[in-house]
Amino acid sequence: MNDRDDLPLAAPSTISASLTRDPEEAQRALARVQALLEKQRRVESLVHREPSPDEDKKALVEGLVHRRHLSELKHILDRLHPADVAYILEALPRDDRLVVWDCVKAERDGEILLEVGDSVRETLIASMDRNELVGAVETLEADEIAELAPDLPQEVIDDVFQKLPVEEREQLRAAMSFDDDMVGALMDFDDIAVRPDVTLEVVLRYLRRFDELPSQTDQVFVVDRDERLLGALPINKLIVNDPETAVEKIMQPPVAKLRQHEKAEVAASAFERYDLVSAPVVDTHDRLVGRVTVDEVLDFVRQRGEEDLLAQAGLREEEDVFASVWASFKNRWAWLAINLVTAFVASRVIGIFEGSIAKLVALAALMPIVAGIGGNSGNQTITMIVRAVALGQVTLDNARQLIRKEITVSLVNGLIWGGVMGVIAAVLYKDGALGVVMVLAMTLNLMLAALMGVLIPMAMLKLGRDPAVGSSVMITAVTDSGGFFIFLGLATIFLV
């Protein structure tokens, strides 16, 4: 934080001018980049295949064409927003990605590294030497450096730290002290603060000294001499009120006040509930230390959603689609091994009833329906529960109520859709008893799926684990084995 004893407010960093943002243009740029890279490969192939006694001439022709293509690539990339350049890099195989990365201007490296996904960022950082990394990182704000820090070599962090002004060093040290799931990790230091006893004219005059306000500035914060947060001054009130009015006359309590060590989900919930653009962040003594903006919250929500989606599928982390076979194998093998074990268990359940299946072949045709409908229903339940847990709507205290509700829903679904399949099975195989068994089996398996769809995430929540991790794999295992056992068991009792 800046020392405000001699100034009416804190000075934010100036923000660099933004480039054109057009998703469709980014897609067209990607197509042009891919076409240029393919053209370069064709030229190299033709030059190498063409017999020529003059190797120097061949090298000269290849070099000229290569430079022309690189020039075109640089021209395309220079016009794109960093997020669009990141989109192009993520859509290219590793070798092409590094060719394009070399065409990016050095002063833009840092902001593009912020935009790419973690897995792609690792490949780009691995291709840069120490001086290049230091040059890229030192152009960023303290909170942005902290975001990149986990992927950077320690010597690069040390070099950047030494080059920063004292104030930014403290900001960087503070930003790096927070876990990824804390409000402090989303916080930036571009807050603007004023004293309550100054006039609006003083505030306006000071703001005009900047080239532009920090991004997402919809309010300035009011603090006392000890930096304690007193309130907020919305920009729309600042503009329309009499310039001679004192700030304390029109300031208002902040809609939301975030603590730097709170969970980031608290900030996401506040922004969603109150439609916030920015919110102040305070320490344990209520002193203003920064702010959180809606763009950071959106990034957090998107990232958490992607992590939950990957976790439900049993993937350990975000995977570069063009990663090596070995890297992809390491990311996927664990849950595949677990899935193999559960599939083996399901096969042994079927094996117990081999005699029944041999006597009534229709069982083999119908049992995947029972297991499949249970798996789908269980995934619906578990997805709803995981989402509700993330939104803070579900706790361990209301688990029993949820179980009763979900079992009732599954009972209704089982009787309706089990009845439909029972009629179809009875007509198809001319066996009314088989139709009744089908109804009972589907209903019981749907109830089992509903029960486990609530218990699995609740159990993981009680153990302090992410309820989304591997939930889809586990629910499928339970409904498959359970569905086979219920259906074949009932058929053995009543039919065979």
Side-chain angles (χ1 to χ4, degrees), residues 231-252:
L233 176 61
I235 294 295
N236 53 8
K237 287 193 172 185
L238 171 64
I239 294 173
V240 301
N241 278 276
D242 184 358
E244 298 305 318
T245 305
V247 169
E248 59 189 351
K249 296 291 186 182
I250 62 171
M251 73 179 189
Q252 60 189 35

Side-chain angles (χ1 to χ4, degrees), residues 17-39:
S18 61
L19 298 173
T20 303
R21 305 182 185 190
D22 183 357
E24 292 185 359
E25 175 61 26
Q27 293 178 349
R28 290 192 292 269
L30 172 60
R32 292 198 297 271
V33 168
Q34 290 173 324
L36 282 172
L37 292 171
E38 179 61 27
K39 188 185 296 184

Side-chain angles (χ1 to χ4, degrees), residues 148-205:
L148 290 180
D151 297 319
L152 295 172
Q154 185 58 46
E155 59 269 20
V156 172
I157 296 294
D158 294 338
D159 289 349
V160 172
F161 193 81
Q162 293 300 321
K163 293 185 176 183
L164 291 176
V166 175
E167 180 185 357
E168 291 189 30
R169 287 186 196 178
E170 294 305 314
Q171 292 177 348
L172 177 58
R173 185 179 287 113
M176 292 178 63
S177 67
F178 300 109
D179 295 335
D180 290 341
D181 61 347
M182 289 183 176
V183 168
L186 306 181
M187 177 180 69
D188 67 44
F189 302 98
D190 289 335
D191 56 283
I192 305 175
V194 298
R195 306 285 182 224
D197 54 350
V198 301
T199 65
L200 301 186
E201 174 61 29
V202 174
V203 178
L204 288 168
R205 191 165 59 245

Side-chain angles (χ1 to χ4, degrees), residues 36-266:
L36 282 172
L37 292 171
E38 179 61 27
K39 188 185 296 184
Q40 176 62 29
R41 282 192 289 269
R42 290 180 180 178
V43 169
E44 291 176 353
S45 177
L46 287 173
V47 169
H48 291 156
R49 283 190 316 207
E50 185 71 25
S52 173
D54 193 345
E55 292 296 330
D56 292 338
K57 183 177 180 180
K58 286 175 59 176
L60 177 61
V61 170
E62 184 179 354
L64 289 173
V65 174
H66 183 61
R67 283 194 294 272
R68 189 177 64 126
H69 289 162
L70 290 182
S71 177
E72 292 183 39
L73 281 175
K74 291 177 182 178
H75 177 70
I76 293 171
L77 298 172
D78 289 346
R79 297 170 56 247
L80 296 176
H81 187 272
D84 293 333
V85 178
Y87 162 74
I88 290 175
L89 291 170
E90 291 175 339
L92 295 174
R94 180 186 176 92
D95 292 341
D96 289 347
R97 178 185 301 155
L98 296 180
V99 171
V100 173
W101 180 237
D102 288 338
C103 295
V104 173
K105 288 183 177 178
E107 60 266 24
R108 303 186 66 196
D109 285 352
E111 54 189 2
I112 293 172
L113 285 174
L114 284 170
E115 298 289 348
V116 296
D118 292 343
S119 56
V120 174
R121 183 186 300 154
E122 291 175 4
T123 65
L124 299 180
I125 289 176
S127 70
M128 303 171 70
D129 61 33
R130 180 172 175 173
N131 292 333
E132 288 175 329
L133 285 171
V134 172
V137 174
E138 65 183 0
T139 63
L140 303 176
E141 302 292 334
D143 57 297
E144 296 172 334
I145 297 174
E147 184 178 340
L148 290 180
D151 297 319
L152 295 172
Q154 185 58 46
E155 59 269 20
V156 172
I157 296 294
D158 294 338
D159 289 349
V160 172
F161 193 81
Q162 293 300 321
K163 293 185 176 183
L164 291 176
V166 175
E167 180 185 357
E168 291 189 30
R169 287 186 196 178
E170 294 305 314
Q171 292 177 348
L172 177 58
R173 185 179 287 113
M176 292 178 63
S177 67
F178 300 109
D179 295 335
D180 290 341
D181 61 347
M182 289 183 176
V183 168
L186 306 181
M187 177 180 69
D188 67 44
F189 302 98
D190 289 335
D191 56 283
I192 305 175
V194 298
R195 306 285 182 224
D197 54 350
V198 301
T199 65
L200 301 186
E201 174 61 29
V202 174
V203 178
L204 288 168
R205 191 165 59 245
Y206 188 79
L207 294 181
R208 294 190 190 103
R209 292 168 53 184
F210 299 101
D211 294 332
E212 59 181 351
L213 295 179
S215 174
Q216 314 298 334
T217 298
D218 67 322
Q219 59 186 333
V220 296
F221 306 116
V222 184
V223 298
D224 62 16
R225 289 283 175 182
D226 295 322
E227 308 290 347
R228 285 193 292 267
L229 182 67
L230 302 177
L233 176 61
I235 294 295
N236 53 8
K237 287 193 172 185
L238 171 64
I239 294 173
V240 301
N241 278 276
D242 184 358
E244 298 305 318
T245 305
V247 169
E248 59 189 351
K249 296 291 186 182
I250 62 171
M251 73 179 189
Q252 60 189 35
V255 177
K257 182 170 63 176
L258 305 174
R259 304 283 178 182
Q260 57 184 352
H261 287 96
E262 283 182 319
K263 291 294 185 181
E265 285 86 352
V266 174

